[in-house]
Amino acid sequence: MKQAIKFTIIAFLIFAVLICAFVWPLPGFIGLVILLVTLGFYDLFQKKHTILRNFPVIGHMRYLLEMIGPELHQYFVESGTDGKPIDKNHRTYIYERAKEQTQTHPFGTELNVDADDYKWMQHSIYPARKMETAPRVDIGGKDCQQPYSASLFNISAMSFGALSKNAVMALNMGAKAGDFFHDTGEGGISKYHLRGGDLVWEIGTGYFGCRASDGKFDAEKFKEKANWEQVKMIEIKISQGAKPGHGGVLPAAKNNEEIAEIRGIQPHIDIISPPGHSAFRNAEGLLQFVKQLRQLSNGKPVGFKLAVGSKQEFIEICKKIVETGIKPDFITVDGAEGGTGAAPIDFSNYVGMPWEDALIFVVDTLNEYNLKKK
Ligand SMILES: Cc1cc2nc3c(=O)[nH]c(=O)nc-3n(C[C@H](O)[C@H](O)[C@H](O)COP(=O)(O)O)c2cc1C
């Protein structure tokens, strides 16, 4: 948005100068010279940008080009298969499918099928018959009184605040239309989430929506919302791939009355989500917390989400599951490459295990402890 405003102002100034030069050539020229000389003096004496001090006026070209660089790259340089995290071909066919337009692509793949990391699926010579209904998975062990039948594809956690109210409403209405679930993210349940789609309520270290005045977990507040009809499952967020072990700050400027009410916090002050949970400090504590939340929600499925870091810590959780008999109903595995609303780039780039390795490790470890089928 800021970019667009800057761009419009610059375009307007250039346009105004050109018009002036065309309508009144001499005054227009003098006006232009005065403008450039004033800008030159400003550049020479300002202390914020070295480039402008060394190269008055002309130095602005660098910022101008830098500003429109992403657009130039995207429109003129980027190929259909470049572009991270989602390339242009995928973006295009997502838009086309959403609008129920063309869904096909002529002439075959553009991918390099000889590349080392090329992935492909095995088909059968005996294709299955078309299914009457989309496949689903039942979530909830024997301790669950309200198991949930989940779609295989769902909407991962993204809070209101990281996303706008329109985005949250659209996602929830999409979840209703497509019969899949919508994870609230750790920012609590807003009225925009309540559009009829199934919800998974995520509980992060800030306990937003079930938070006591000292920032700790409040069982009574949790119980009330966890028993809402639309909430189908509870997800304890241990960590997120893009910023594992980091926590977060909701800055006072963003903490308005509406967000504060949804999160159950005081408005207009900085709110810290600590890196770890205050409700537990070790594997057994985590499982006891799972058990507590399942009881408070009257038997809804309770699981946890993590990005794998120390393998030993995950092994420890599996050992404790066997020892205590308390089983989470699901485990969400995030990867270091996962998205975020905001994270320091060092965390996004260098902390946590990538998703494929993490999923293989988690599945192998669960199998080793005979837990996968449960
Ligand atoms: C804008 C945005 C906000 C997110 N907020 C949360 C969050 O509140 N809690 C969480 O556990 N993960 C959050 N995530 C991470 C996603 O839930 C997901 O784990 C990650 O993006 C990997 O999935 P993907 O490969 O489908 O993007 C967020 C991601 C994005 C892009």
Side-chain angles (χ1 to χ4, degrees), residues 156-159 162-163 185-187 202 237 240 305 334 338-341:
S156 197
M158 290 180 284
S159 312
L163 299 182
E186 63 186 295
E202 186 178 73
K237 175 181 167 182
Q240 183 180 337
K305 168 173 180 170
D334 200 3
T340 175

Side-chain angles (χ1 to χ4, degrees), residues 85-86 154-160 162-163 183-187 202 204 235 237-243 263 305 332-335 337-342 355:
I86 299 173
N154 301 284
I155 303 166
S156 197
M158 290 180 284
S159 312
F160 167 61
L163 299 182
D183 192 314
T184 61
E186 63 186 295
E202 186 178 73
E235 180 177 74
K237 175 181 167 182
I238 298 179
S239 55
Q240 183 180 337
K243 48 176 174 180
R263 296 195 176 197
K305 168 173 180 170
T332 310
V333 181
D334 200 3
E337 68 277 44
T340 175
W355 181 72

Side-chain angles (χ1 to χ4, degrees), residues 148-363:
Y148 177 67
S149 164
S151 160
L152 300 190
F153 292 101
N154 301 284
I155 303 166
S156 197
M158 290 180 284
S159 312
F160 167 61
L163 299 182
S164 70
K165 64 180 185 191
N166 287 343
V168 173
M169 284 193 287
L171 290 175
N172 195 261
M173 287 154 79
K176 185 176 181 212
D179 200 11
F180 44 85
F181 73 67
H182 176 193
D183 192 314
T184 61
E186 63 186 295
I189 310 175
S190 69
K191 62 179 182 222
Y192 311 113
H193 286 99
L194 301 172
R195 299 278 151 163
D198 290 349
L199 285 180
V200 171
W201 183 15
E202 186 178 73
I203 312 289
T205 59
Y207 304 109
F208 296 128
C210 53
R211 178 184 169 99
S213 52
D214 59 359
K216 298 214 169 103
F217 175 67
D218 184 319
E220 280 312 308
K221 286 186 186 161
F222 172 81
K223 191 174 174 182
E224 193 228 315
K225 296 195 181 101
N227 282 291
W228 287 354
E229 167 63 23
Q230 206 169 338
V231 174
K232 303 295 179 189
M233 304 203 285
I234 311 295
E235 180 177 74
I236 302 166
K237 175 181 167 182
I238 298 179
S239 55
Q240 183 180 337
K243 48 176 174 180
H246 183 261
V249 181
L250 173 67
K254 259 186 108 178
N255 182 9
N256 59 26
E257 309 279 338
E258 185 177 37
I259 295 214
E261 198 200 322
I262 294 162
R263 296 195 176 197
I265 52 180
Q266 216 185 310
H268 313 302
I269 55 168
D270 287 345
I271 297 283
I272 310 279
S273 285
H277 278 264
S278 53
F280 56 87
R281 287 303 300 166
N282 53 29
E284 183 159 356
L286 165 66
L287 298 177
Q288 293 297 346
F289 193 51
V290 167
K291 186 175 169 186
Q292 185 191 7
L293 298 192
R294 204 155 41 207
Q295 280 166 352
L296 290 168
S297 62
N298 285 314
K300 289 189 180 170
V302 178
F304 60 83
K305 168 173 180 170
L306 86 168
V308 177
S310 153
K311 289 182 173 178
Q312 195 48 45
E313 286 175 359
F314 187 77
I315 294 170
E316 179 67 19
I317 293 175
C318 293
K319 281 186 185 160
K320 284 290 170 196
I321 293 176
V322 174
E323 215 177 288
T324 60
I326 305 171
K327 298 183 193 72
D329 298 294
F330 63 92
I331 298 174
T332 310
V333 181
D334 200 3
E337 68 277 44
T340 175
I345 196 152
D346 323 73
F347 277 75
S348 302
N349 284 350
Y350 302 114
V351 187
M353 195 184 280
W355 181 72
E356 206 167 297
D357 295 339
L359 188 65
I360 292 169
F361 164 70
V362 166
V363 170

Side-chain angles (χ1 to χ4, degrees), residues 20-278:
C20 287
F22 186 71
V23 180
W24 311 289
L26 189 61
F29 177 73
I30 295 171
L32 185 64
V33 171
I34 293 175
L35 200 81
L36 292 180
V37 170
T38 316
L39 182 67
F41 272 106
Y42 172 78
D43 289 348
L44 269 177
F45 292 103
Q46 58 79 38
K47 290 188 175 161
K48 217 169 149 197
H49 301 288
T50 321
I51 299 245
L52 296 182
R53 226 171 140 95
N54 287 336
F55 304 96
V57 183
I58 192 80
H60 286 276
M61 281 303 285
R62 177 210 159 133
Y63 298 106
L64 187 72
L65 290 175
E66 217 171 50
M67 196 173 81
I68 58 173
E71 284 79 8
L72 291 181
H73 187 260
Q74 192 179 343
Y75 300 145
F76 299 112
V77 183
E78 188 181 296
S79 84
T81 55
D82 292 340
K84 296 264 183 301
I86 299 173
D87 64 49
K88 183 164 169 283
N89 283 354
H90 277 85
R91 290 198 307 269
T92 307
Y93 81 63
I94 289 168
Y95 297 146
E96 286 176 352
R97 286 180 184 184
K99 292 176 190 163
E100 298 187 3
Q101 295 170 343
T102 333
Q103 307 200 359
T104 51
H105 178 85
F107 297 118
T109 185
E110 289 175 46
L111 303 180
N112 175 9
V113 298
D114 295 323
D116 286 345
D117 59 353
Y118 176 71
K119 295 185 182 73
W120 54 282
M121 282 193 222
Q122 268 187 146
H123 63 282
S124 164
I125 47 176
Y126 312 109
R129 258 176 271 137
K130 191 165 179 262
M131 289 177 173
E132 291 303 319
T133 51
R136 298 183 78 83
V137 57
D138 292 326
I139 305 184
K142 66 175 178 37
D143 300 321
C144 260
Q145 284 87 53
Q146 303 188 57
Y148 177 67
S149 164
S151 160
L152 300 190
F153 292 101
N154 301 284
I155 303 166
S156 197
M158 290 180 284
S159 312
F160 167 61
L163 299 182
S164 70
K165 64 180 185 191
N166 287 343
V168 173
M169 284 193 287
L171 290 175
N172 195 261
M173 287 154 79
K176 185 176 181 212
D179 200 11
F180 44 85
F181 73 67
H182 176 193
D183 192 314
T184 61
E186 63 186 295
I189 310 175
S190 69
K191 62 179 182 222
Y192 311 113
H193 286 99
L194 301 172
R195 299 278 151 163
D198 290 349
L199 285 180
V200 171
W201 183 15
E202 186 178 73
I203 312 289
T205 59
Y207 304 109
F208 296 128
C210 53
R211 178 184 169 99
S213 52
D214 59 359
K216 298 214 169 103
F217 175 67
D218 184 319
E220 280 312 308
K221 286 186 186 161
F222 172 81
K223 191 174 174 182
E224 193 228 315
K225 296 195 181 101
N227 282 291
W228 287 354
E229 167 63 23
Q230 206 169 338
V231 174
K232 303 295 179 189
M233 304 203 285
I234 311 295
E235 180 177 74
I236 302 166
K237 175 181 167 182
I238 298 179
S239 55
Q240 183 180 337
K243 48 176 174 180
H246 183 261
V249 181
L250 173 67
K254 259 186 108 178
N255 182 9
N256 59 26
E257 309 279 338
E258 185 177 37
I259 295 214
E261 198 200 322
I262 294 162
R263 296 195 176 197
I265 52 180
Q266 216 185 310
H268 313 302
I269 55 168
D270 287 345
I271 297 283
I272 310 279
S273 285
H277 278 264
S278 53

